[in-house]
Amino acid sequence: MTLKTALVTRGHTQALKDGTVTTRTFEFAFEDVPVIIHAFRRMVRGLEFDVSEMAITTYLCARAHGKRFTALPIFPMRAFHHGAVVHNTNAGIRSPKDLEGRKVGVNRGYTVTTGLWARSILQHQYGVDLSRITWVLSGDEHVAEYQPPSNVVPIEQGRTLEDLLVSGEVPAAIGVQVEAPGVKPLIPNAREAGFDALRDRGLYPINHTVVVKNDLLSAHPELGPDIFNAFAEAKRPYVERLAAGEIAEPSKDDVTFRRVLEMTGDPLPYGLEPNRRMLEAVVQYALEQGIISRRVAVEDLFPANTHGLTA
């Protein structure tokens, strides 16, 4: 069985991509998708892949709208998001609470995972009332059926968030990359704030999961565990090299994962139980922010025969 697959090449997936790790019941047929968010949309709207990496909030939203795929408890991308909120230093924003009553831009759609985690930090760490902010989107949602809350609006046609941020018309934004002297992260020492949140509260956000078409999981009950085990086998030597300092030219992610490893152990834990706290958090925040309309048990997000798997 050959599975058309969209997956980013990273240190912990390289062994899958180059064939070092082989599988028992299937073969991956990787399609090169240079911008992986395009694969998310293609999977949500057209079921174009058998297996696809997918943002965790895109999955929650897609699941709520009956899309025919299910995630495995594999989480190939994690990141800290304290630095995702930037502001125009001349717009009168001195602290996160100052965002209330103002417009805040969001790169792409409201259901983007970085947006969810950044808003949760504003709400739960800094006491910001998210309902008192007008969220201005630069794009649409992967899940076309999704309807955002009433305080979420599209950007004016012909404008860009970058220009609005630099001009101060939108005083702050999430997930926008701007090189301008007057635009800076809102949360001071954002990188260290992320590690402090991990150390103090166990906050280690999940960004991406891996989804598989439901008809394949139904027809081949062992496929879910087989895919999980392949990802686990590919990850193992990467974490060993990371721990030994044997990555010759570490990327930004490698540096982050090495520091997480020194703080808490495996920086890329797979499985439901090792990630229960973050999975329950992302469900809670998605509910609070109007990305989903009803709570879902984390067990219901994954096939039953993967619940006991860890790696």
Side-chain angles (χ1 to χ4, degrees):
M1 182 166 54
T2 301
L3 303 181
K4 182 180 178 183
T5 302
L7 179 70
V8 175
T9 303
R10 301 184 178 94
H12 52 282
T13 62
Q14 178 65 48
L16 295 173
K17 303 293 282 288
D18 65 20
T20 301
V21 170
T22 57
T23 52
R24 187 169 59 86
T25 59
F26 68 93
E27 291 183 354
F28 289 113
F30 292 104
E31 178 176 322
D32 183 28
V33 185
V35 181
I36 196 62
I37 60 173
H38 295 166
F40 305 167
R41 177 168 297 220
R42 290 168 59 188
M43 187 67 177
V44 167
R45 296 194 175 191
L47 285 177
E48 290 191 33
F49 301 96
D50 298 314
V51 179
S52 179
E53 189 168 335
M54 183 169 288
I56 188 74
T57 48
T58 299
Y59 172 56
L60 289 177
C61 187
R63 182 189 177 283
H65 289 273
K67 304 304 178 181
R68 300 190 304 277
F69 47 74
T70 299
L72 305 178
I74 300 166
F75 309 106
M77 185 58 197
R78 307 182 80 121
F80 298 108
H81 299 286
H82 286 73
V85 187
V86 296
H87 72 119
N88 185 311
T89 57
N90 299 312
I93 304 296
R94 299 291 177 262
S95 72
K97 285 287 284 183
D98 294 335
L99 297 175
E100 295 178 359
R102 309 292 293 272
K103 293 180 178 179
V104 176
V106 179
N107 187 34
R108 297 187 285 118
Y110 183 69
T111 59
V112 167
T113 300
T114 294
L116 174 133
W117 286 114
R119 289 188 297 266
S120 76
I121 290 166
L122 293 174
Q123 177 183 0
H124 292 281
Q125 187 170 347
Y126 295 95
V128 176
D129 183 346
L130 302 181
S131 69
R132 296 189 58 200
I133 295 172
T134 298
W135 305 98
V136 181
L137 309 182
S138 66
D140 62 356
E141 309 294 340
H142 293 313
V143 181
E145 300 91 336
Y146 171 73
Q147 295 295 317
S150 59
N151 62 325
V152 179
V153 300
I155 195 170
E156 296 177 41
Q157 192 169 2
R159 309 297 302 275
T160 70
L161 280 184
E162 291 79 3
D163 290 343
L164 292 175
L165 183 62
V166 170
S167 70
E169 293 176 73
V170 169
I174 295 173
V176 176
Q177 303 295 321
V178 176
E179 294 292 335
V183 176
K184 299 190 181 302
L186 178 59
I187 296 172
N189 302 313
R191 180 172 171 79
E192 290 307 311
F195 287 111
D196 288 345
L198 170 61
R199 181 184 303 106
D200 298 341
R201 302 191 306 282
L203 181 66
Y204 189 32
I206 292 169
N207 273 38
H208 295 177
T209 185
V210 174
V211 301
V212 184
K213 284 182 178 177
N214 285 346
D215 58 355
L216 286 170
L217 292 172
S218 296
H220 308 280
E222 290 306 309
L223 182 60
D226 286 351
I227 294 173
F228 181 96
N229 290 332
F231 273 81
E233 187 178 346
K235 181 190 76 163
R236 197 172 299 113
Y238 167 76
V239 174
E240 291 172 355
R241 292 197 307 273
L242 197 67
E246 295 176 352
I247 297 177
E249 297 181 6
S251 67
K252 182 179 177 181
D253 287 341
D254 294 332
V255 172
T256 296
F257 292 151
R258 173 66 185 269
R259 188 163 171 190
V260 172
L261 187 150
E262 293 169 348
M263 292 172 64
T264 64
D266 187 351
L268 292 158
Y270 298 162
L272 189 158
E273 288 304 330
N275 294 283
R276 178 178 288 276
R277 184 175 179 183
M278 286 299 95
L279 291 168
E280 290 178 344
V282 78
V283 169
Q284 176 188 337
Y285 301 152
L287 187 62
E288 291 173 349
Q289 296 177 28
I291 291 171
I292 57 176
S293 59
R294 62 187 69 175
R295 186 176 299 277
V296 57
V298 294
E299 288 83 358
D300 292 341
L301 299 176
F302 310 105
N305 62 353
T306 66
H307 291 176
L309 301 176
T310 60

